[in-house]
Amino acid sequence: MPFSKGSRIGPLLVAAIVIVLLNTWFAVASVRTLSQSEYWLSHTWQVIGQVEGIVASVRDADSSASGFVLTGDTNRLTSYYLARQQVTPQIQRFRELTSDNPRQRDNADRLEHIAAERLALLDQVIAAKKIGGTEAAASLLTEDASSARPRVRPIAESMQDEERRLLTIREEDVKRSTLVALLSVAVASGLDLLLIVFVGRILVREREMRMQTQTANRELEMAHAEVEKNVETIRQLNTELEERVRSRTMELESTNRELEAFSYSVSHDLRAPLRTIDGFSLALQEDYEEAVDETGRDYIRRVRSGVQRMGGLIDALLQLSRITRAELSRREVDVTALAESVAENLKEEHPEQQIHFDIDPGMHANADPDLLRVAFENLMGNAVKFSSKVSVSVIRVSYDPEKKRFEVADNGAGFDMQYSSKLFNAFNRLHGDKDFKGSGIGLATVARVIHRHHGTISAESSVGNGARFFFTLG
């Protein structure tokens, strides 16, 4: 079964398998030790039994031979020879069983020697019975009983004592091995039980965490569905809002076109009565100047000045309206040549003013050339106008490739930066008409041109230190 990333089931399962294998190994080792101890215990009993067998065979041979001597029954000889044949294999088997015990090997040699002497004596007794009769055989037995010849039983008891000593040791080993085996099995069973309980608790916790995760996933899916629903609602609202904006934009554009058409018509229609007023005021000034006193002549001059100023304002408004209504046609423009052309015109228009133009070479831009000329005419014209009170007007036209912006700077009167927000609004002027003549529409016209090119325009200045105008063309 694959386990999820971060699950503890995999490592725990491996640890559980290792612990169970170790417990099994300890239990098997303990049982094996116990089995080995029991084997040696059984082996000891087998050796003791083997000694008893040797002693019994020798005793049977002895009793059969004695019976033959006393009764002359030859059937006793059959038992004798049968018992005699069993002694040597039994001793050999004893040697095999006690091959790991040097003391018993020595006892086996002694027992074999004593048994052989006894059997040899019995053979002599049987032969004496057959040849000399009962008395001859009995005398051999009596002579042997009175001798100090070693017997089978003492050596057999010595061998059994040795085995009983080993039996005591091995019984203790069996008890100890049994206790160790029981403890091993108990400890292994206890550890297995604790392991089962521990793994069971982990599995229960994993199952609870899995259920919590599934619940969280379902809640997340529900939240996701709710978000999808909200997104769809927001999408519908955006569509409705865009439709409203588009409709409102169309209405505004239509209103702007009507206002622009109205402004153009009003400006255009005002020119006719202004020309009439200007013409009659000029005729009045020329034909009746001597007929009125000095106050009347001043009134006539003021009327003519106001009419000419109104004419300039109408011309500026018409230019601003044309810029707004004109179709934008962008192409590659030689800005340097355009600025130099504007500079030549300005020099001709202001012959009394000493003007120095510093124009960067190689300036180009992708723009509408007619609108760009209007912008330069207004910016450079303003620079000439506001530097007219210094001895030499220095006007610089440059381009910053890194910032991709043009700059028109002068060394004229400058302005207070706290009023900079009003610079590009129509009819907002920072200088009085007595200081510098103007309509208040020139910079608004420049801003309109720049905005139609999707560019930006800004200015930096301080009073008495000239002004710098920056603009980009998008």
Side-chain angles (χ1 to χ4, degrees):
M1 180 178 68
F3 301 110
S4 60
K5 186 177 181 180
S7 174
R8 294 180 294 176
I9 296 299
L12 286 175
L13 183 59
V14 174
I17 292 173
V18 172
I19 292 173
V20 169
L21 290 176
L22 288 175
N23 291 338
T24 304
W25 181 81
F26 280 119
V28 170
S30 300
V31 171
R32 184 178 298 170
T33 302
L34 176 61
S35 177
Q36 192 71 17
S37 298
E38 290 179 343
Y39 164 77
W40 284 111
L41 184 64
S42 174
H43 175 270
T44 302
W45 282 111
Q46 187 178 2
V47 172
I48 293 174
Q50 191 65 30
V51 173
E52 287 295 333
I54 295 170
V55 173
S57 296
V58 173
R59 186 175 59 244
D60 290 344
D62 201 354
S63 61
S64 298
S66 299
F68 173 71
V69 171
L70 294 176
T71 62
D73 185 3
T74 56
N75 291 329
R76 298 294 182 92
L77 292 179
T78 303
S79 299
Y80 167 75
Y81 289 119
L82 180 61
R84 192 179 191 287
Q85 291 176 356
Q86 294 176 349
V87 172
T88 300
Q90 288 175 333
I91 293 174
Q92 183 60 33
R93 176 59 180 163
F94 177 81
R95 282 199 176 91
E96 293 175 358
L97 291 175
T98 59
S99 60
D100 58 326
N101 192 334
R103 182 183 296 177
Q104 291 293 55
R105 285 202 302 270
D106 295 339
N107 289 333
D109 293 340
R110 291 174 58 197
L111 179 63
E112 185 178 18
H113 178 72
I114 294 171
E117 287 183 347
R118 183 62 182 176
L119 292 175
L121 175 63
L122 292 177
D123 288 341
Q124 292 176 4
V125 170
I126 292 171
K129 170 64 180 178
K130 289 179 179 178
I131 298 173
T134 302
E135 292 181 359
S139 64
L140 288 175
L141 290 174
T142 302
E143 181 180 356
D144 178 71
S146 60
S147 67
R149 185 179 298 170
R151 305 298 178 182
V152 172
R153 171 52 65 181
I155 189 62
E157 289 179 353
S158 175
M159 294 165 68
Q160 288 178 341
D161 290 342
E162 174 63 16
E163 290 303 319
R164 288 191 183 92
R165 185 184 66 80
L166 293 176
L167 180 63
T168 301
I169 295 173
R170 286 167 182 173
E171 283 177 346
E172 292 297 325
D173 290 341
V174 168
K175 291 179 181 177
R176 185 169 52 254
S177 299
T178 301
L179 180 61
V180 171
L182 290 174
L183 288 176
S184 299
V185 171
V187 171
S189 300
L191 289 175
D192 291 343
L193 182 59
L194 290 176
L195 187 61
I196 290 171
V197 173
F198 180 70
V199 172
R201 293 187 60 182
I202 294 298
L203 289 175
V204 170
R205 188 175 300 173
E206 287 282 337
R207 182 174 176 274
E208 292 176 352
M209 292 177 63
R210 192 179 300 111
M211 292 180 65
Q212 291 176 356
T213 303
Q214 291 174 352
T215 302
N217 287 337
R218 284 196 294 272
E219 293 176 353
L220 185 61
E221 290 175 357
M222 294 175 63
H224 182 70
E226 186 68 20
V227 169
E228 290 288 338
K229 183 180 178 181
N230 292 335
V231 167
E232 182 61 27
T233 303
I234 292 173
R235 188 179 294 112
Q236 291 178 358
L237 291 175
N238 283 337
T239 303
E240 294 176 0
L241 182 60
E242 289 175 356
E243 185 62 30
R244 288 183 182 178
V245 170
R246 186 162 45 252
S247 175
R248 190 62 57 86
T249 301
M250 292 176 64
E251 293 176 0
L252 289 174
E253 289 177 350
S254 176
T255 302
N256 284 336
R257 283 195 297 272
E258 292 175 357
L259 288 174
E260 289 169 359
F262 176 75
S263 299
Y264 182 79
S265 299
V266 169
S267 300
H268 188 269
D269 292 344
L270 284 177
R271 294 179 65 86
L274 276 178
R275 280 196 299 271
T276 301
I277 295 172
D278 186 47
F280 281 105
S281 63
L282 179 60
L284 187 62
Q285 185 180 34
E286 292 177 349
D287 298 339
Y288 299 96
E289 185 176 9
E290 300 299 331
V292 296
D293 57 8
E294 185 59 31
T295 303
R297 287 193 291 272
D298 182 57
Y299 289 164
I300 293 172
R301 284 195 298 270
R302 291 190 181 189
V303 169
R304 294 216 63 221
S305 176
V307 169
Q308 290 172 358
R309 186 166 181 271
M310 178 63 74
L313 284 173
I314 291 173
D315 290 340
L317 285 172
L318 289 174
Q319 185 186 45
L320 180 61
S321 178
R322 281 196 296 272
I323 289 171
T324 304
R325 294 156 60 91
E327 190 71 25
L328 188 68
S329 177
R330 302 183 71 144
R331 61 178 179 271
E332 194 69 14
V333 179
D334 186 344
V335 177
T336 298
L338 188 151
E340 289 176 347
S341 173
V342 173
E344 290 299 323
N345 292 337
L346 289 172
K347 285 182 178 179
E348 292 177 0
E349 291 174 3
H350 302 278
E352 76 288 355
Q353 187 176 346
Q354 188 174 357
I355 308 172
H356 174 70
F357 286 100
D358 182 9
I359 301 173
D360 278 359
M363 295 188 295
H364 289 79
N366 182 269
D368 185 305
D370 296 331
L371 296 184
L372 191 60
R373 171 175 281 277
V374 171
F376 271 101
E377 285 175 346
N378 280 279
L379 287 175
M380 295 173 70
N382 273 353
V384 170
K385 179 172 62 179
F386 290 107
S387 63
S388 60
K389 295 184 179 180
V390 298
S391 58
V392 179
S393 299
V394 178
I395 300 168
R396 173 168 172 72
V397 180
S398 59
Y399 178 72
D400 186 344
E402 184 177 351
K403 298 181 178 178
K404 298 181 179 180
R405 70 180 184 182
F406 293 93
E407 177 183 351
V408 177
D410 64 72
N411 60 339
F415 57 86
D416 192 339
M417 283 298 289
Q418 66 174 322
Y419 304 113
S420 61
S421 59
K422 300 180 179 179
L423 274 177
F424 304 104
N425 296 331
F427 304 116
N428 283 331
R429 302 191 61 198
L430 304 186
H431 298 277
D433 194 55
K434 293 181 180 178
D435 297 327
F436 299 100
K437 300 288 184 181
S439 61
I441 299 178
L443 288 179
T445 303
V446 174
R448 188 71 58 86
V449 170
I450 300 305
H451 292 161
R452 291 209 63 189
H453 284 81
H454 305 292
T456 59
I457 185 168
S458 60
E460 292 179 357
S461 179
S462 62
V463 177
N465 294 314
R468 301 170 66 191
F469 286 86
F470 309 96
F471 69 88
T472 64
L473 293 174

